[in-house]
Amino acid sequence: MENVVGKPVPRVEDARLLMGQGKYIDDIGTPPNTAHIAIVRSAYPHASIQSIQIEKALEVPGVKGIITGKDVVQYLNPFSVGVSAPVKYYPIAVDKVRYVGEPVAVVIAKNRYIAEDAAELVKVKYETLEAIVDIEKSMEDDAPLLHENVGSNIANHRSFHYGDAHSAFKNADRIIKHTFNFPKYSATPVETYGIIAQYESSSDQYTINANFHGPFVIQAVMAGALKIPSNRLRIIVPKDIGGSYGIKAGTFPYMVLCAIASRIAGCPVKWIEDRQEHLSASSSGTDRVTYIEAAVQEDGKVLGLKMKMIDNVGAYIRAPEPACLYRTHANTTGAYDIPNLMVDGYIVMTNKLPTGLIRGYGGQELYFPLERIMQMIAHELQLDPADVIRRNLIKTEKFPYHTASGGIYDSGDYEKGFELALATGKYTEFREKQEKARKEGKIFGVGLACIVEPSGSNMGYITIALTPEERAASLPKSGCAEAATISMDPMGNVNVRISTTPSGQGHETVAAQIVADVLQIPREQINVVAELDTATSAWSIASGSYSSRFASLGSSAVYYAAHKVKEKILKIAAHHLQTKEDDLVIESAIIRSKSDPSKKYSMKRAAGSAHWNPLSLPDGMQPGIYETYYYTATIAEPPDENDLINSSITYGFVADMVTVEIDPETAEVKILDYFTIHDAGKLLNPLIVDGQIYGGLVHGLGGALYEELAYDDKGQFLTGSFMDYLCPTAPEIPNITIKHIETPSPVTPLGAKGLGEGNTMSAPVAIANAVSDALTPYNIMIDSLPLSPTKIWQLLQSSKVKTT
Amino acid sequence: MDGKGKITLEAGIERAWDVLLDPNVLEKCITGCKKLEPIGDNKYKADLAVGIAAVKGKYDSTIEIADIEKPNHYKLIVQGEGGPGNVEATGTIDLTPIDENTTELSYSYEAEVGGKVAMIGQRMLGGVAKLIIQDFFKKLGKELKRNEMSA
């Protein structure tokens, strides 16, 4: 039988999705007597709650109850979070509101219509307070304070020094620096948050169905908030999640809110978020200000970097923040060989929606200043940006490469990848074309970006937010555990259970490919179950769908679980055929002896004997075939006392070249061509790979040109619909050319690395570099996003004023 | 959001003043005003129903007239709160006589909105504000004429 791992096999998920048989949260039905909820939300960015009048709303026929912060807090602890600042975060405002959209009251009613109507009758009296949304102003002493008990808007601050940055800066020919702003934006999955929560007083147990995809370390955070033993919080994730891109990790506060609503109302409750709620009050990416300084030689070689990064986590710091700042800690120096590094990391809270996971998480915020400064270095030293990248890329022979901050880049051939990008995009030819176009009054530009794409997070990285002394006070955290369970039923058919809660990435397809190869049975005969149930699934704190962890970790758990099944089958067959296991091979579901071809045994019979005739099994062997494997990578160690941390398991590489043309009259940026080269190790399914890359790239395009969750300077939220929050749609998608090189990872058994987030990280800066390059004659440089026509037009106008 | 403008009223300054500050006239001329009742000196409670983009709804409002310098100047302070969000607006009105039967009115306003109105209506807000103001002066013009006839 031909192996299927690495083949572009079509997705098994598609048939049910295309035939309307997907099982999303809104498809799974509700228990009898389920009530529906509507949430009253704050219209103010910062205000103290004077009173909440619910009497009129309670009189509406069909309303079962209305709860406010005061009712809820008696059942709850604040959510725990990985910083020491004593921020009290509840799923509903208690005395104060701190962002527009924050829940203030929950109306529980017979149906959603009644709940919404009654919600309009809830009258909340506020006393408004001065709001703060500006990142740097929030750090000033006289800034409005969000959390009085914290005493400052700074939730966390850490400084790191690796190598010898002082000498690097002293010995440098030039120091090139700039400040960059990365905006707050989202990922807008088509399916919004959805929750069905049920409290059973008889067992003091909560059961929650939700399209939450982990990380399941948050299960413990939720149980802690609900003040119950964690095994009394059962979370069931549906088979299908309609996209997330990280945003649905933020479902958890609402899961707890619905759980309490069910408890107080005495019936199950259901809530499906609407789009306005989603944009204003779900979760979002983190906006960041970065001060970056590069110590460089005249030839473009970077000797050291200093970066001060300030992350805005919104009104409350909540799990998994401050991870945006630290997820990329090991790869802070990107694809470059830079041994000297200083990082100053701040987390601030402002009157905006709290942040959380998003595709690319931390990558786009990191690479925007890093790749922009690489281009600025070229500009200031009058070098070709491609040559500056070449001078600094990590050399092929240096792998596995140890980064300044503790990362271990497992494999790669960055030089080959980058040259392939330049050759594919015909870089030199485009430069000639650009020169010609400029003479004709056209504005052409080319942008380059080389980035390292981390995948499979080491759960220890989040503790880098604490000092080594603070870390020493608790148990060390490390690893990246993921589990898979494979069983064979009495007829020899295979079920696979995974805990990676896919939200459209095709994990069922790839898991079946892997098992098919290991057990040598057709993949069509393998049934993969992706629903996660914390009461019955094999899972761990790291389980879930984030940091592109399936290809590196989920796939490894499936692979080793399949090997456990294979081992058992071979033992059974060897026992019956009276030969040794290493004499046996499996070919198309038949086990044969290599030494004596007449000896054969069917897989079905081996499985059958494990169920029907356990007494025929080798001595000491358990009946049945049901194997679970928990995988973790050995390189995922806790941070050491020098703050060295290998924050991810595998590190892929992306080299982008993008060409743009800017309309001088409308200032609209048009992408002419986008070339992207990926090295994600061994590809498990190239069809899914390219789909993931397209999605990630278009999200990156949105970040570059269109998307921003905008607030005015007083904290009012301005982008509450898809008319105001602009996402790229089909007509905006440019020509995209994808090429792959495959440098297998030595860390994972299949040689695979995660991917799909790479271009979300690279596209914003690649496009910004192209636009900056295009606008060089106008003396314009890009240091903030998105690059809307208004922004470019204003830049062009002010530049024209300057030059005339 | 802010703005300003000028309009010529076909009435002498004294009469223009009287009509402008007549609560019955205000009730008729403010777009979407369902009810206007006095709750104090120069202070009124109003039910306003306004649609901005897709956000339609009722606002419980107060309208206050302040800084009165008869017949030249006053300030209009509007505060509204309702299902669609909240509005706070301040308008300054100055009257200058041109001749016996003509008065120039210049106005400026600042407005802030919050909640749903800001979230999904802000693109439309400037336009809607202009429409409401134009509509007000159109209706006011009619009232002045009617007032003249009955006078």
Side-chain angles (χ1 to χ4, degrees), chain A residues 65-79:
Chain A
I66 296 172
I67 56 175
T68 66
K70 291 245 184 312
D71 305 318
V72 170
V73 284
Q74 52 187 312
Y75 297 101
L76 290 182
N77 291 320
F79 290 109

Side-chain angles (χ1 to χ4, degrees), chain A residues 318-488:
Chain A
R318 67 179 182 195
E321 294 284 25
C324 183
L325 198 52
Y326 296 116
R327 181 209 180 187
T328 54
H329 197 74
N331 50 293
T332 305
T333 46
Y336 308 116
D337 191 359
I338 305 173
N340 306 303
L341 171 70
M342 280 174 96
V343 176
D344 207 12
Y346 286 89
I347 305 289
V348 300
M349 295 178 286
T350 70
N351 297 106
K352 287 184 177 183
L353 162 66
T355 59
L357 296 184
I358 184 169
R359 180 160 46 189
Y361 197 45
Q364 49 272 47
E365 289 89 345
L366 168 69
Y367 294 125
F368 182 57
L370 183 60
E371 294 302 289
R372 285 291 300 119
I373 205 86
M374 294 305 280
Q375 197 199 45
M376 280 182 70
I377 292 168
H379 183 71
E380 300 222 356
L381 300 176
Q382 298 190 319
L383 299 168
D384 188 317
D387 288 333
V388 173
I389 290 174
R390 282 188 185 110
R391 200 139 295 150
N392 289 288
L393 276 182
I394 296 162
K395 301 272 175 268
T396 311
E397 60 272 16
K398 284 206 168 183
F399 287 93
Y401 174 83
H402 290 251
T403 69
S405 45
I408 305 164
Y409 291 173
D410 47 332
S411 67
D413 192 342
Y414 296 179
E415 294 167 293
K416 184 176 160 191
F418 180 56
E419 294 304 331
L420 182 59
L422 296 177
T424 308
K426 299 195 173 107
Y427 180 71
T428 320
E429 274 177 43
F430 185 83
R431 283 289 183 207
E432 288 160 13
K433 219 191 280 179
Q434 179 185 35
E435 204 168 315
K436 224 177 112 196
R438 276 180 179 162
K439 282 179 191 148
E440 292 163 8
K442 290 182 177 172
I443 312 176
F444 274 37
V446 52
L448 303 170
C450 283
I451 64 125
V452 169
E453 179 178 3
S455 52
S457 287
N458 171 1
M459 296 311 275
Y461 84 74
I462 190 75
T463 60
I464 202 95
L466 304 172
T467 62
E469 296 73 37
E470 287 170 323
R471 285 199 297 270
S474 60
L475 288 171
K477 293 188 175 63
S478 73
C480 46
E482 187 51 87
T485 302
I486 302 178
S487 58
M488 268 185 152

Side-chain angles (χ1 to χ4, degrees), chain A residues 136-189:
Chain A
E136 293 187 79
K137 283 186 190 149
S138 76
M139 300 169 79
E140 290 168 5
D141 287 341
D142 58 351
L145 196 58
L146 271 79
H147 301 272
E148 287 76 9
N149 66 318
V150 179
S152 155
N153 293 322
I154 299 170
N156 190 244
H157 173 224
R158 286 229 54 207
S159 297
F160 307 90
H161 187 187
Y162 304 103
D164 184 358
H166 298 303
S167 299
F169 276 77
K170 213 166 71 188
N171 299 331
D173 296 326
R174 295 275 276 275
I175 292 166
I176 294 169
K177 58 183 175 182
H178 200 77
T179 307
F180 294 92
N181 285 278
F182 195 88
K184 184 184 187 77
Y185 74 141
S186 191
T188 60

Side-chain angles (χ1 to χ4, degrees), chain B residues 97-112:
Chain B
I98 295 178
D99 58 39
E100 257 176 48
N101 293 315
T102 329
T103 305
E104 187 187 74
L105 181 152
S106 59
Y107 62 89
S108 65
Y109 62 90
E110 273 176 37
E112 269 177 37

Side-chain angles (χ1 to χ4, degrees), chain A residues 697-713:
Chain A
L697 204 156
V698 172
H699 192 194
L701 180 75
L705 299 180
Y706 308 109
E707 298 185 40
E708 182 175 14
L709 291 169
Y711 289 77
D712 70 13
D713 55 3

